[in-house]
Amino acid sequence: MFIYLYDEAATPTLDLGGITNYIKDKLPSSQIEVRENFITFHLARLERRGREEKMSHLAEELARAKVRKLGAPLNDLFVPLKGEIGYERRRLENQNKRVAGILYDGFVLSGILQGLLPPEECALNQVHIVFTNQLFGTWDEHDRRYHARVSIYNKPSLISTTGIVEAPAKPREYYLLKQQYTALGMYDAAEVGLKGNFRGRFIDYNDERMTRVMKGYVLQALMHQLTGEPFCTDKSCRLYNAHWQEEVIRSQVENPYDLCPAHERMLEALLS
């Protein structure tokens, strides 16, 4: 298997060297290549004129992929404003800057990035895993709204360093106290005070545990490629699909084992 890891430079605590060593331990026969930011890397392969045209097209596609209402799916007929396209164009020119406050449709975003992959890197044994600070979500037909996600497993797979902070829910007491602070008009005090009170119980921006946590999400992307099923129901397994921050910490940081016995056996069988 050929595995391409794409860096996200805005998060200094994300160590792709550590993740590479982890993958080599799990899949010793794999070949791994670490690359810079996905868009920057693939645009650089184009001639100058083609690169400019592609950037303009990408800027419009990204503006269309922006979620405008959490309670409404994307409308294919929507025409973004010139200012929105211009914003995306400026961001394409500075990919290492952290994105704030914008949620994209995750599957549409993955599809846009797929268009940059060269045909020779699209074989079934080639896996592209993109780390990004973009926040993305998926539309849920059950409650008819978007939900922020940490990862999308596709070609390429996307793993968000912003999503790991914002998507899994924090402890219930956190939200109760935040409501009380907000009711008193103490918005700034809520952010500062609550982070201190609940330190260690959720993954924060530039968290020292970022690399350890992301190893599990990379493993999920690889299991999706190998078996079509990235998740496990065991809450201590790296493949557990956590929806709460405390579940993330249990499955990725405080786990008594790396993979559950069933998935250890499955991985051994796949490698034999």
Side-chain angles (χ1 to χ4, degrees):
M1 180 181 290
F2 295 88
I3 302 169
Y4 305 99
L5 298 178
Y6 296 87
D7 200 5
E8 191 276 273
T11 301
T13 51
L14 178 63
D15 174 19
L16 293 197
I19 291 176
T20 298
N21 292 335
Y22 179 74
I23 298 172
K24 290 297 290 183
D25 182 57
K26 292 293 179 187
L27 303 171
S29 62
S30 62
Q31 296 185 41
I32 307 167
E33 181 178 329
V34 175
R35 294 173 169 176
E36 60 181 324
N37 174 280
F38 182 91
I39 291 177
T40 303
F41 178 85
H42 287 290
L43 283 178
R45 300 156 68 115
L46 304 176
E47 297 290 337
R48 182 175 179 179
R49 182 176 177 182
R51 185 164 61 246
E52 288 297 316
E53 291 176 353
K54 191 67 177 178
M55 284 182 72
S56 296
H57 183 61
L58 275 176
E60 184 169 345
E61 285 189 304
L62 289 168
R64 288 180 186 275
K66 187 168 68 173
V67 175
R68 293 160 199 284
K69 292 182 180 178
L70 291 179
L74 290 191
N75 181 349
D76 293 339
L77 301 178
F78 180 81
V79 179
L81 300 172
K82 286 186 178 179
E84 294 175 301
I85 298 172
Y87 168 82
E88 296 295 344
R89 174 66 191 235
R90 291 191 295 278
R91 204 166 56 75
L92 286 170
E93 293 169 349
N94 186 7
Q95 282 290 300
N96 293 331
K97 186 177 179 181
R98 183 173 291 282
V99 184
I102 299 178
L103 180 73
Y104 297 86
D105 184 298
F107 284 108
V108 173
L109 181 61
S110 177
I112 292 170
L113 299 187
Q114 190 179 93
L116 287 172
L117 289 175
E120 64 270 20
E121 291 190 1
C122 291
L124 289 176
N125 67 339
Q126 294 179 307
V127 185
H128 297 263
I129 301 175
V130 181
F131 287 100
T132 176
N133 60 58
Q134 288 181 327
L135 185 61
F136 50 75
T138 58
W139 175 254
D140 189 325
E141 284 290 348
H142 293 290
D143 60 4
R144 303 288 298 169
R145 69 188 299 271
Y146 273 94
H147 294 270
R149 303 296 184 196
V150 180
S151 55
I152 295 286
Y153 301 128
N154 205 346
K155 186 180 275 302
S157 288
L158 311 180
I159 302 177
S160 174
T161 53
T162 301
I164 193 61
V165 178
E166 303 293 345
K170 294 180 175 61
R172 296 183 195 279
E173 311 95 282
Y174 176 96
Y175 297 106
L176 291 174
L177 281 173
K178 189 171 184 177
Q179 284 180 352
Q180 293 174 10
Y181 275 113
T182 303
L184 295 171
M186 301 167 66
Y187 307 107
D188 293 339
E191 284 303 314
V192 175
L194 287 175
K195 282 197 171 183
N197 290 343
F198 290 89
R199 191 178 305 281
R201 294 180 64 184
F202 60 86
I203 304 300
D204 205 352
Y205 293 101
N206 299 325
D207 198 299
E208 294 297 330
R209 299 167 291 183
M210 185 66 75
T211 299
R212 181 171 174 79
V213 168
M214 289 304 177
K215 289 175 181 176
Y217 286 89
V218 167
L219 198 54
Q220 290 176 12
L222 296 174
M223 288 301 288
H224 177 264
Q225 182 74 16
L226 290 167
T227 69
E229 176 50 66
F231 302 127
C232 177
T233 56
D234 185 330
K235 291 187 176 183
S236 294
C237 180
R238 286 277 201 180
L239 304 180
Y240 183 69
N241 185 19
H243 290 83
W244 290 83
Q245 286 281 345
E246 289 174 323
E247 292 176 336
V248 171
I249 292 169
R250 175 176 175 175
S251 59
Q252 305 299 342
V253 180
E254 298 174 349
N255 42 346
Y257 42 75
D258 209 50
L259 287 174
C260 67
H263 276 99
E264 280 288 3
R265 290 193 297 273
M266 182 183 294
L267 190 59
E268 288 177 9
L270 288 168
L271 298 177
S272 62

